[in-house]
Amino acid sequence: MVKHQPEKSRFVWVEDNLESVLEYEVTGSSIDFTRTYVPNELRGRKIAETLVYAGLEWARSNDYQLSASCWYVDKFIKRTY
């Protein structure tokens, strides 16, 4: 389950005491998705994809201009938005 932690500028998925994250930075009306990370033990289960879709949906619903320094998020922005 994805949880937004705005105080830490990230979305997080916790499972088996392991954290998967999507981190971002907001500047004015722009958001830059800077990093995704999924521990090896949780990879291959589309957790990163789920985090990215949650983050993009939140950013879009708040009218942020989207960008991504993270290559993984960038491919979703190019494909979807």
Side-chain angles (χ1 to χ4, degrees):
M1 171 185 227
V2 176
K3 292 186 181 179
H4 187 198
Q5 297 177 332
E7 70 284 358
K8 294 183 178 181
S9 299
R10 69 184 195 161
F11 289 83
V12 64
W13 175 297
V14 179
E15 187 173 324
D16 298 331
N17 293 319
L18 299 169
E19 285 187 342
S20 301
V21 297
L22 167 64
E23 298 173 347
Y24 63 87
E25 294 176 2
V26 172
T27 306
S29 63
S30 297
I31 188 166
D32 177 21
F33 291 97
T34 57
R35 178 175 175 255
T36 54
Y37 173 74
V38 176
N40 287 335
E41 298 88 341
L42 300 177
R43 291 188 181 170
R45 298 176 46 208
K46 299 192 177 199
I47 293 171
E49 181 177 329
T50 302
L51 286 165
V52 169
Y53 279 126
L56 291 174
E57 182 60 33
W58 173 80
R60 199 172 116 187
S61 70
N62 285 282
D63 295 322
Y64 284 112
Q65 295 176 5
L66 304 175
S67 67
S69 348
C70 172
W71 69 269
Y72 186 76
V73 181
D74 188 54
K75 74 179 188 175
F76 284 89
I77 292 173
K78 288 178 178 171
R79 185 173 61 204
T80 311
Y81 294 94

